[in-house]
């Protein structure tokens, strides 16, 4: 503890005080409380105050639009070579770019990369969870206990797993845009676009023999076709124990400083059953990246909203997130009370509970960003600059000038209808499964008689309805919370609210709906599905309630859909305006397609101090012992006593300013020499507003350090074979 | 990274979407961007939004006044025994209270305690800094290198150091209050009170043979006399190296998780030169306190503002802190630029720079609290409850009912005059030393001729004026910033601003004042002081400027003083009202007198995860290696290689909910058995709003763990003698 009050000059002010004291005839003061060290108390009851207009204090500097407010997720078709040259003195060659593009891979939900000429692939442990479970044999639990194939023959093929390599990129903007009618109803425009996209993708797939998608960049400002080579013999080579691969669990997720060996290895095999040989792989760096050095993340960021208008962000800030958070808090509270009442069922429900609290963490982090005046001011400044550019050109002004106002108007309308959608909507673990099933059963019956729904879809739907398990007690608690929501959202006189309550309190009403309903009973539910005609007349309270609600829900939803369609068209036009004004100087929003993001290795201000650039294995043990007894920080057996020779000072995780988001998990972090220095696995808590604005003050990507990976493979897992293979790639 | 977007039910909502899509004739959507794991995209351009009225999300629960909003710094004359009993099932006996009171000691700026029957005293390293320097001999630097007296004969007496033990407490409220006239000018009331306090203290000192103070509690609601026994032969026994005693330096100050061996040992000797023998010492706990267990901090918190009214806090929030922060930022910026220009002088100025940034950290932390709506709402709720209590009683209402409005009015007036005081005031390292010295010289001359100032005061003042060193270049930069402040605070037409600028830009003006002035030249300054008559006529630009400014500054300051005096009287009456309403159920603001604060050992939500209850030596090494090369986290030589047998998993620091503030440094943390389990040395960054409100959500006291102290003494310092002495106290 240091004393922080500032002394004013004793020499100057002290005497002013003294003379004043003289003037009023006092010769002494009350015995001063012993001032803490360095503190000068200059007058009896107050310290001299320093006053002026309020100033916002924050680590964020200006509110001028930042050059990179929309981020740095550059496409490979438009890498900003001049900017790289100017910023880092490094101009990637075409070969450099091709090599890293072809070394990078896409997993179904993650990124990965080739790290050896023999098809060795690296990604995150959390991207290999399902694989570890899938290749576990009778009596094995490889997800929990980890897996290492001691020989290549021991590598296990993961059923249905594939990796995609981005081979061909084509600009198909003109073709797609030509297929969209310039006038006509909005939904027809959208449908025509979707159809055109499908056509182009199919045609290109046929021409190239690859798997081609068409991706809308800049919300339709540009369309690119990405064609992938798919490798579908992928075998698991190494995955650590979950306790070390997800060390700190949901608690430490989205946080830094961090101590997480979130790494896994796969190997791609060719059709001949031999390991796939490739020239396109990343070479290994033992030393990793130094503080301040430039690094590049090659990966597939999933989705961002950086081009959202201020009105759209205000909507999120003032409506969407507060309401989502309230819903999650309510349901987390319900689960918490239920688990307290039934401690024996803790294991059944605790994951749902953590899933709520983890979502709360994320939404709260984003909302905090939206409520940070400096961040919003930067968005406002960016929008003003963009509007000024549009309005200074008469053609652009005619075409795009009114879009901001139109979007703002639509968002106001959406704010009107959304509470109705949300209150009437039924579904997900956040809502009563009894009502959700009632809604499902009614819709199933309508779909079945419409003749418009394919049998396969109907069958899948029926199976899902049959498989739902409902815990009456918990479900009644959730329904009570849900009715309370409806009262708040729609008022006491809404027909749904009146039907649900029937003059009862929310808890009594919920019990009276859930308990007598046949739906929680799977046998009686199946009987009901078999006789859909009964649905129109059954007195089942849940079905009765949803019978009267479905038409209103559908109407509200269609209105909602109409408004969001109308907004989507305008959003696309605005994005095209952005593209017209800024071109590829601004990268498009993330679309789960390959991007290259530049950044530097850099700490940040955090928690009153500075977060270090990297953490070490010492910190892993600190967290373990300081959270003694908490399962999230337990260590696997083999880690409890680090083996002799294991250097705890080895870097484990590190932070960079690269622009990433969900989907980037498993992305390689490479230096200018093209060497792999790390493996992206998370962002810090300050990165959450990154969905709508990219900043470098405190937003950080978190990666596993290449030296930490090697140290653990060598000393803890004795994975000599892999260590040798990785080390052989060093140039 | 985990995906956090919530899926709505595919079963229910999916079909609604599907049916809607049918309705508009579309059969497919755009190829969805690969959703990250677990994410369900339910419609093309938007996910279903959940909407409702905005909700404030925070870890702080209600806005009702908390029972302990005003804190838990209980006095020994009014320990809340029933509450302790009810909360912890522990009712301290009179013996227990007497033992811990007499074991606790007060250092000039800190707290300490007897920890052995042989007069061994423990406090913080940062409370022993000056002692370590003072006992360093020729060629030694014990502050940097640490000190351990291998034998008792090696213990070194610290010149002028003493510790005070609180022996007698008397309520002198009636006597003091009787001495204050109920009517008459406010400054006479204050003067009469101060005189009475001095009388009572002197009389009691005479009666008891002890050193008696009279302390105003509840801002005059109650007066207590505390009589101390002073021990003035205090010898240094052990102080670690600054690098480990202040590990993390200013960066880590006010932060947690923390890794700091902030401990020192002294020994009290009797008049016979032998170690002082006492029964009143704390016994040692090896194991420390378990999570959730109650602990008590005995110490001397310096100062709090918990009884501030909402108007006073709003003033701080809207005027005082923003302005102070702006001033500190401005001057930190000046120093930063100066150091960048003169890297060779870094060592001379870097401590000032850190002192600014550390103050910024603290003020920013407090301001953050003041700007947290939930915290202010609790203060408002508390004030409303208090007002209601006063206004519901007609006597109380007559006496106190208008005080809140009066204080609010005074604060508005203070807000008017304070900018003038601040802009005209000169002093401290935040302002030009040339102008400060000019002001000092002028005041010195006036004081010398007034005949009202004792020679000793004059001489000290003269010596200070002569000793000031002024760096012209830096001083001109500071003066430029200062003139800019004045322009902002007073406007361009203020006489001071016009005199200073004389139509020039701020930088030119500053240079033209500082460079030709004789004051930065110490010889010419001495000559000037020797001929004060010259002051009235000298054309020296700094003196000329302050000659015209001094009368205005004095007038502004007297007005400021008048207003704060008037406020002080009302604050005292309000505090008496508080005391009339709540009595000792609410503890008084801190007054650097002995208190007992209860709390529990408890982690808290931080940085998106939870801060552990304690840290370990593993974390010390993590911080060291992860901040490799940064001096604040360098380790002393003896720590670089931890010796064999040293258990890195030993707890080093831990956190509790005890209510502490500056002055509590060195306070013992004890368990219900009266054993010492830790040593307070800091608060976390979330504790900074503790100046005005005590909360337990995230505000934490930080202590060194008893086990960590012993482990380091034993294995790193080989301080067997002290270890044996501490261990011998265990019961």
């Amino acid at each position: 503890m240091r004393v922080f009050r500032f002394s004013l000059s004793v020499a100057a002010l002290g005497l002013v005080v003294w003379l004043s004291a003289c003037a009023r005839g006092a010769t002494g003061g009350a015995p001063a409380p012993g001032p803490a060290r360095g503190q000068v108390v200059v007058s009896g009851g107050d310290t001299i105050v320093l006053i002026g207009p309020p100033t916002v204090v924050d680590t964020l500097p200006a509110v001028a639009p930042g050059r990179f407010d929309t981020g740095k997720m550059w496409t490979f078709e438009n890498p900003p070579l001049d900017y790289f040259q100017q910023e880092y003195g490094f101009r990637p060659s075409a070969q450099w770019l091709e090599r890293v593009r072809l070394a990078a891979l896409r997993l179904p939900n993650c990124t990965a990369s080739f790290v050896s000429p023999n098809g060795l692939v690296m990604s995150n442990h959390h991207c290999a969870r399902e694989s570890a479970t899938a290749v576990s044999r009778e009596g094995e639990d490889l997800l929990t206990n980890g897996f290492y194939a001691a020989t290549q023959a021991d590598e296990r093929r993961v059923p249905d797993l594939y990796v995609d390599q981005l081979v061909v990129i084509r600009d198909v903007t003109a073709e797609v845009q030509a297929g969209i009618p310039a006038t006509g109803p909005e939904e027809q425009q959208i449908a025509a676009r979707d159809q055109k996209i499908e056509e182009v993708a199919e045609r290109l797939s046929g021409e190239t023999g690859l798997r081609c998608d068409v991706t809308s960049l800049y919300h339709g400002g540009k369309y690119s076709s990405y064609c992938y080579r798919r490798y579908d013999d992928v075998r698991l080579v190494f995955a650590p124990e979950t306790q070390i691969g997800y060390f700190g669990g949901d608690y430490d997720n989205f946080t830094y400083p961090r101590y997480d060996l979130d790494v896994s290895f796969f190997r791609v095999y060719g059709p001949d059953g031999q390991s796939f040989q490739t020239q396109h792989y990343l070479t290994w760096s033992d030393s990793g990246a130094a503080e301040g050095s430039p690094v590049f993340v090659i990966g597939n960021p999933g989705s961002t909203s950086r081009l959202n208008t201020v009105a759209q962000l205000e909507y999120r800030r003032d409506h969407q997130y507060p309401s989502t958070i309230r819903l999650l808090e309510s349901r987390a509270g319900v689960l918490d009370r239920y688990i307290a009442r039934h401690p024996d069922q803790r294991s059944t429900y605790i994951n749902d509970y953590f899933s709520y609290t983890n979502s709360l963490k994320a939404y709260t982090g984003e909302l905090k960003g939206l409520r940070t005046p400096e961040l919003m001011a930067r968005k406002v400044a960016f929008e003003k600059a963009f509007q000024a550019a549009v309005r200074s050109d008469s053609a652009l002004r005619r075409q795009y000038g009114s879009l901001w106002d139109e979007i703002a108007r639509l968002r106001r309308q959406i704010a009107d209808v959304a509470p109705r959608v949300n209150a009437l909507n039924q579904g997900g673990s956040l809502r009563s499964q009894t009502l959700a099933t009632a809604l499902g059963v009614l819709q199933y019956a309508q779909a079945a008689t419409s003749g418009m729904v394919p049998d396969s879809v109907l069958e899948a739907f029926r199976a899902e309805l049959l498989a739902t398990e409902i815990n009456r007690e918990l479900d009644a608690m959730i329904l009570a919370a849900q009715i309370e929501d409806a009262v708040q959202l729609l008022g006491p006189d809404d027909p749904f609210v009146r039907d649900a309550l029937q003059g009862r309190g929310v808890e009594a009403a919920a019990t009276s709906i859930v308990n007598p309903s046949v739906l929680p009973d799977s046998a009686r539910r199946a009987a009901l599905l078999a006789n859909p005609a009964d649905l129109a007349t059954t007195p089942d309270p849940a079905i009765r309630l949803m019978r009267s609600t479905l038409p209103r829900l559908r109407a509200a939803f269609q209105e909602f859909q109409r408004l969001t369609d109308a907004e989507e068209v305008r959003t696309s036009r605005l994005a095209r305006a952005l593209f017209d004004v800024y071109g590829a100087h601004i990268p498009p929003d993330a679309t789960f397609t390959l991007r290259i993001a530049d950044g530097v290795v850099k700490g940040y201000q955090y928690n009153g101090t500075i977060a270090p650039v990297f953490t070490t294995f010492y910190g892993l043990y600190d967290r373990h012992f300081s959270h003694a007894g908490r399962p999230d920080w337990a260590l696997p057996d083999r880690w409890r006593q680090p083996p002799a020779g294991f250097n705890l000072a080895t870097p484990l995780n590190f932070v960079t300013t690269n622009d990433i988001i969900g989907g980037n998990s498993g992305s390689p972090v490479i230096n200018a020499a093209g060497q792999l220095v790390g493996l992206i696995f998370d962002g810090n808590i300050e990165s959450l507003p990154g969905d709508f604005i990219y900043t470098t003050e405190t937003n950080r990507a978190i990666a596993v350090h290449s030296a930490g990976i090697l140290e653990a493979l060598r000393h803890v897992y004795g994975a000599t074979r892999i260590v040798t293979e990785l080390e052989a790639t060093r140039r």
Side-chain angles (χ1 to χ4, degrees), chain A:
Chain A
M1 189 168 337
R2 263 189 45 161
V3 169
F4 57 85
R5 278 183 207 295
F6 244 74
S7 65
L8 297 172
S9 160
V10 179
L13 194 58
L15 203 62
V16 174
V17 174
W18 191 89
L19 290 172
S20 301
C22 282
R24 73 175 197 234
T27 54
R37 189 177 299 259
Q39 178 177 4
V40 176
V41 177
V42 293
S43 73
D46 203 346
T47 28
I48 280 288
V49 286
L50 306 154
I51 296 162
T55 307
V56 173
V57 177
D58 209 291
T59 51
L60 296 167
V63 296
R67 179 170 171 193
F68 299 111
D69 286 357
T70 56
K72 288 191 177 182
M73 295 173 173
W74 310 104
T75 60
F76 274 82
E77 50 269 48
N78 281 307
L81 300 180
D82 290 343
Y83 154 65
F84 287 171
Q85 171 72 49
Q86 175 195 328
E87 186 73 13
Y88 308 114
F90 166 62
R91 190 179 191 88
S93 65
Q95 290 73 23
W96 190 98
L97 288 167
E98 185 184 71
R99 188 174 75 91
V100 302
R101 172 170 57 80
L102 292 171
L105 298 167
R106 192 167 75 170
L107 283 164
N109 300 305
C110 285
T111 301
S113 60
F114 281 127
V115 290
S116 94
N118 302 311
L120 192 66
V121 167
M122 183 167 74
S123 186
N124 290 140
H125 172 266
H126 80 264
C127 299
R129 283 183 197 166
E130 288 169 14
S131 298
T133 301
V135 301
S136 290
R137 293 172 184 158
E138 183 73 24
E140 287 180 339
D141 177 0
L142 302 184
L143 175 59
T144 302
N145 301 316
F147 174 72
Y148 169 55
T151 71
Q152 196 171 317
D154 296 321
E155 295 174 1
R156 297 190 188 176
R157 182 165 181 174
V158 183
D160 305 324
L161 186 65
Y162 55 85
V163 294
D164 285 341
Q165 182 185 40
L166 177 57
V167 177
V168 173
I169 301 174
R170 281 197 207 167
D171 187 335
V172 296
T173 309
E175 189 176 353
V176 174
Q177 288 185 350
I180 307 173
T183 55
E186 276 141 9
E187 52 192 34
Q188 278 179 24
Q189 292 181 19
I190 292 174
R193 178 203 62 187
D194 293 350
Q195 199 178 339
K196 191 69 192 174
I197 280 174
E198 213 167 318
E199 270 174 42
V200 173
E202 258 177 46
R203 198 194 66 238
L204 289 176
S205 296
E207 283 174 24
T208 58
L210 299 165
R211 309 177 75 96
C212 298
D213 293 338
V214 171
T215 298
S216 157
L217 301 173
Y218 303 98
H219 298 265
K222 184 176 174 185
Y223 292 90
S224 284
S225 175
Y226 293 112
C227 299
Y228 298 90
R229 177 165 293 130
R230 176 160 292 183
Y231 302 92
D232 61 6
D233 184 348
V234 185
R235 307 190 190 176
L236 187 64
V237 175
F238 169 81
E241 304 87 340
T242 293
Q243 284 296 143
I244 192 82
Y246 196 49
F247 185 75
D250 286 346
Y251 285 106
D252 279 2
N253 190 32
F254 285 125
T255 73
Y256 185 82
R258 189 74 161 280
Y259 314 91
D260 193 356
L261 191 67
D262 195 351
V263 62
S264 66
F265 288 93
F266 294 92
R267 192 184 304 278
V268 165
Y269 283 71
D272 56 356
Q274 301 299 307
S275 60
F276 177 71
Q277 301 299 302
T278 179
Q279 296 173 285
H280 308 296
Y281 62 90
L282 301 171
T283 57
W284 197 266
S285 163
D286 281 2
S287 55
E291 180 168 0
S293 64
V295 285
F296 300 86
V297 168
I298 319 296
N300 300 283
S303 148
T304 53
S305 314
R306 305 265 171 83
L307 307 186
N308 264 209
T309 67
V310 170
Q312 287 168 323
L313 292 176
E314 286 172 346
Y315 176 84
R316 288 207 215 188
R317 181 192 64 194
D318 300 334
H319 299 282
Q320 185 173 350
Y321 285 10
S323 153
T324 305
I325 286 166
R326 206 170 50 109
L327 185 67
L328 287 167
E329 285 183 324
S330 151
R331 301 310 189 264
V334 166
L335 265 193
D336 195 37
R337 287 196 300 280
Y338 183 82
I339 291 171
R341 207 182 284 170
H342 301 283
D344 55 308
Q345 296 177 44
R346 188 174 192 278
S347 64
T348 310
Y349 294 105
I350 196 67
N351 281 342
D352 280 347
Y353 177 78
F354 282 135
S355 156
Y356 297 171
T357 53
N358 210 47
S359 298
L360 270 173
K361 184 200 295 195
Y363 280 111
T364 306
E366 276 205 57
L367 182 58
K368 196 172 162 190
L370 289 165
R371 286 183 176 167
T372 300
E374 294 79 6
L375 283 186
M376 278 302 257
R378 269 162 70 157
K379 295 297 296 186
V380 168
F382 174 82
E383 187 159 297
K384 277 194 182 148
F386 178 24
Q387 282 174 336
V390 165
R391 288 170 182 166
S392 69
D393 176 304
S394 64
L396 290 175
R397 188 177 61 239
R398 261 196 312 280
Q399 206 174 350
Y400 303 122
S402 63
L403 287 173
W404 288 276
D405 291 344
E406 288 170 36
I407 289 172
R409 182 180 45 76
L410 285 164
R411 272 290 138 192
R412 283 195 298 274
Q413 292 175 300
I414 290 170
D416 266 355
V417 71
R420 208 154 63 249
V421 175
N422 286 310
L424 301 181
N425 186 31
Q426 311 297 330
S429 59
L430 296 168
R431 294 201 174 82
S432 157
Q433 294 302 297
T434 305
L435 282 204
T437 305
L439 179 63
V441 165
L442 289 168
Q443 289 188 97
Y444 173 81
Q446 292 190 2
T449 54
S450 72
M452 290 169 66
V453 183
D455 282 355
S456 61
V457 171
L458 277 179
E459 188 40 48
F461 189 26
R462 206 179 86 91
E464 196 176 333
L465 286 171
L466 287 175
T468 305
E469 288 183 18
I470 300 176
N471 168 338
R472 283 189 201 262
E473 180 183 347
L474 176 60
D475 207 54
M477 290 169 75
I478 293 173
L479 182 55
Q482 190 176 328
I483 298 173
E484 254 174 29
D485 294 345
V487 175
Q488 286 205 25
L489 291 169
L490 306 176
D493 294 329
D494 178 84
F496 172 79
V497 172
R498 267 191 282 117
D499 268 20
L501 285 178
Q502 297 185 12
R504 303 165 293 202
V506 286
E507 279 170 27
T511 313
S512 307
I513 292 166
V514 171
N515 281 358
S517 173
V518 304
L519 295 170
D521 180 327
S522 57
R524 295 170 71 193
R525 191 194 316 157
L528 194 66
L529 269 176
N531 298 294
D534 294 356
L535 289 170
T537 52
T538 175
D540 186 284
I543 293 173
R544 208 194 46 71
L545 179 59
M546 288 321 295
R547 222 165 33 213
S548 62
T549 301
L550 183 54
R552 295 183 66 220
L553 169 58
R554 193 172 287 149
F557 188 77
Q558 282 170 351
E559 170 69 358
F560 178 79
Q561 189 79 43
R562 187 186 67 75
L563 293 167
T564 51
D565 279 356
E567 184 186 40
E568 194 186 342
V569 170
R570 281 157 187 82
T571 302
S572 298
R573 280 169 50 206
L574 199 59
R576 205 184 296 189
L578 191 84
F579 194 61
D580 286 351
V581 170
Y582 297 101
H585 291 289
I586 286 181
D589 262 329
T591 48
F592 199 51
T593 53
L594 201 65
R595 304 293 178 92
I596 176 169
D598 60 294
V600 291
V601 179
K602 197 174 175 187
Y604 59 100
Q605 289 189 19
Y606 123 100
N607 189 36
T609 179
I610 49 174
V613 165
F614 62 85
T615 64
T616 73
F617 286 99
Y618 274 116
L620 174 79
Y621 285 92
D622 180 48
R623 294 291 274 173
H624 169 66
F625 286 108
S626 67
H627 280 304
R630 287 202 158 85
D632 292 271
W633 293 275
L635 280 173
D637 286 344
R638 72 166 83 233
W639 281 88
R640 298 238 172 100
Q641 280 299 325
F646 184 81
N647 181 4
L648 292 176
T650 309
L652 173 51
N653 293 163
F654 67 107
V655 277
T656 75
T657 62
N658 297 79
D659 185 13
I660 64 153
I661 206 146
N664 266 116
S665 286
S667 297
V669 185
I670 60 180
N671 60 20
Q675 295 172 313
L676 189 144
V677 297
L679 173 68
I680 292 293
F681 73 97
D682 204 355
N684 62 358
I685 192 83
E686 294 87 348
S687 75
L688 289 168
D691 183 38
F692 70 91
I693 189 167
Y694 169 72
T695 56
T696 55
E697 282 83 2
T698 58
N699 175 347
R700 290 292 178 277
I702 314 177
V704 193
H705 196 282
S706 58
I709 294 172
L710 226 53
E711 189 75 8
L713 285 176
R714 182 184 279 125
H715 291 289
V716 182
Y717 293 98
T720 327
R721 178 171 85 84
I722 306 305
V723 170
T724 308
E725 188 173 348
L726 293 172
E727 289 191 328
T729 67
R730 294 181 299 197
R731 293 196 264 207

